[in-house]
Amino acid sequence: GKGEYDHYMLKEIYNQPTSLANTIEGRVDDGEVVLEDLSTGTFSEVEYVQFVACGTSYHAAMYGTQQLREAGIRTEVVRASEYDSTAGPVCERTLTVAVTQSGETADTLEALRSADEQGARTLAVTNVVGSTAARTADDALYIRAGPEVGVAATKTFSSQAVTLTLLGQRLAADVPSATPREDQADLLEDLERLPGQVETLLESTDAKRLAAAYVDSPSYFFIGNDLGHPVSLEGALKFKEITYEHAEGFASGELKHGPLALVTDETPIFATCTGANDEKTKTNAIEAQSRGAPIVAVGPEENPLTDVADAQLEIPETHPVWAGLLATVQLQLVSYHAANQLGRPIDKPRNLAKSVTVE
Ligand code: F6R
């Protein structure tokens, strides 16, 4: 049951120190990544990695793909519902990774089957053991977040992003043309601190007060660069799903290519700073602020927006790769508290289902 929590969503947000610890358990050993059956060399034939996913899982895939790009591995993230019209060609040297919490999303399964028919090697990254995706793909990698009841995905997003980042390290080590990251040891060390840092954040968050401060706004924007981009898309998706208010996520640099026309003193902008490539977030947030928009900086205590932001949601100091996940937890809490203040049915938003089994 929900226990001491008013909603499953809140329980699942607060479960993240545990769910993340389960995701990581046994997967980092002496500075190396260990992914059960996917042992060293598993992917030595792979030349190109394609992710297929929907909704929140798509954002997690965007998050994970960054490791591959940095390692110099060719990669793309495809919206599963648009697979046949947008995916690049695949062959036996392609790894198609289906990212799906439930393992039952029809669009994702369809894309997975299509890649399989064209000869790609396939992998399911899922939360559900024995799900259709796990049984359909050549291999399965479990995110081990535990059951998620709330329709809005929360703890499964963070566990997906961690699992995919670890998969990225395995691929960077296996793919012959790839360059593993020089700071892998630091990255993995900081990963082991992540569950505790989420706990600290949950104990000290100011998200409820901030949600109350802006709850009457007609529209909410979420911006970020680099890993702050999927964080912002996810922040906006969560917000619209459970508050029923208008919210949009953008790559910071896109703001001036159209969305700025909507910016007024009534459009709060949540700007995520991870500590890497935050410059465009700074300049574009300031641009919006000069049009009157209140800026909420989501980032470490000292970030490029600290001195100018109207408010700040602070995250503990860590590697930029994990900072994005800490920022996501703050944004999950903002959505939750805003929806709660608006009296929305948080665990079962109108028109939505936990698992979408139609195309
Ligand atoms: C958002 C949400 C959906 C799912 C999407 C894919 O909170 O839950 O966007 O992420 O329907 O579901 P899975 O991951 O089960 O394939």
Side-chain angles (χ1 to χ4, degrees):
K2 294 181 296 223
E4 61 186 290
Y5 297 97
D6 291 341
H7 297 93
Y8 280 104
M9 183 185 179
L10 193 63
K11 180 181 176 187
E12 287 157 3
I13 292 171
Y14 274 81
N15 185 233
Q16 286 174 108
T18 304
S19 54
L20 286 169
N22 288 339
T23 300
I24 298 162
E25 167 102 59
R27 286 176 168 172
V28 177
D29 183 29
D30 211 7
E32 295 296 321
V33 172
V34 183
L35 294 177
E36 299 88 57
D37 302 344
L38 307 178
S39 54
T40 307
T42 302
F43 300 117
S44 53
E45 308 281 295
V46 170
E47 284 177 356
Y48 166 57
V49 182
Q50 179 184 70
F51 294 88
V52 297
C54 301
T56 291
S57 295
Y58 179 90
H59 301 149
M62 280 179 75
Y63 206 98
T65 198
Q66 207 235 30
Q67 300 302 314
L68 305 184
R69 224 171 356 243
E70 282 191 5
I73 300 172
R74 280 198 299 132
T75 181
E76 70 171 342
V77 189
V78 186
R79 296 213 179 264
S81 58
E82 285 293 284
Y83 186 79
D84 288 333
S85 53
T86 61
V90 304
C91 66
E92 67 281 358
R93 288 187 174 271
T94 305
L95 176 68
T96 299
V97 184
V99 185
T100 166
Q101 184 282 127
S102 62
E104 304 299 341
T105 299
D107 288 322
T108 307
L109 293 173
E110 189 55 33
L112 178 63
R113 290 188 186 111
S114 179
D116 177 61
E117 276 161 24
Q118 294 170 67
R121 175 169 184 171
T122 56
L123 170 67
V125 174
T126 180
N127 198 27
V128 181
V129 176
S131 57
T132 308
R135 287 183 282 111
T136 305
D138 297 325
D139 292 292
L141 178 61
Y142 294 103
I143 66 168
R144 308 194 301 211
E148 188 175 65
V149 177
V151 164
T154 53
K155 64 174 179 171
T156 57
F157 173 83
S158 50
S159 285
Q160 284 173 329
V162 165
T163 306
L164 292 170
T165 300
L166 292 175
L167 174 66
Q169 309 314 308
R170 157 65 64 250
L171 281 157
D174 281 5
V175 173
S177 62
T179 328
R181 45 186 322 143
E182 281 171 11
D183 65 347
Q184 175 168 301
D186 293 341
L187 181 78
L188 295 178
E189 224 168 84
D190 279 358
L191 174 59
E192 295 185 285
R193 290 166 49 214
L194 183 66
Q197 291 186 315
V198 173
E199 182 125 45
T200 305
L201 182 159
L202 291 168
E203 282 162 9
S204 61
T205 180
D206 209 15
K208 186 174 181 180
R209 195 183 62 79
L210 263 174
Y214 296 113
V215 79
D216 287 325
S217 307
S219 190
Y220 299 79
F221 286 178
F222 296 78
I223 64 168
N225 286 136
D226 202 323
L227 287 176
H229 180 210
V231 168
S232 299
L233 297 181
E234 176 57 12
L237 179 66
K238 214 90 303 172
F239 201 91
K240 68 184 85 167
E241 275 185 295
I242 60 166
T243 68
Y244 308 162
E245 298 298 318
H246 179 245
E248 296 217 46
F250 306 106
S252 309
E254 282 299 301
L255 205 56
K256 57 188 176 299
H257 297 294
L260 201 55
L262 294 171
V263 167
T264 69
D265 57 4
E266 289 189 307
T267 51
I269 301 192
F270 290 86
T272 293
C273 294
T274 62
N277 302 320
D278 293 324
E279 299 77 22
K280 286 183 190 155
T281 303
K282 179 174 184 176
T283 46
N284 286 278
I286 290 173
E287 195 63 34
Q289 194 181 41
S290 74
R291 272 51 175 200
I295 304 299
V296 181
V298 187
E301 185 177 5
E302 288 301 323
N303 66 68
L305 285 169
T306 305
D307 296 334
V308 288
D310 299 272
Q312 184 149 310
L313 280 170
E314 204 179 304
I315 62 171
E317 292 285 343
T318 184
H319 194 289
V321 168
W322 311 125
L325 295 186
L326 293 168
T328 298
V329 176
Q330 287 286 24
L331 295 178
Q332 292 169 347
L333 288 162
V334 169
S335 291
Y336 173 82
H337 289 297
N340 203 26
Q341 286 154 24
L342 291 164
R344 309 297 190 221
I346 292 176
D347 286 330
K348 286 197 181 305
R350 69 184 176 205
N351 312 338
L352 300 178
K354 182 67 183 160
S355 151
V356 186
T357 53
V358 290
E359 277 179 52

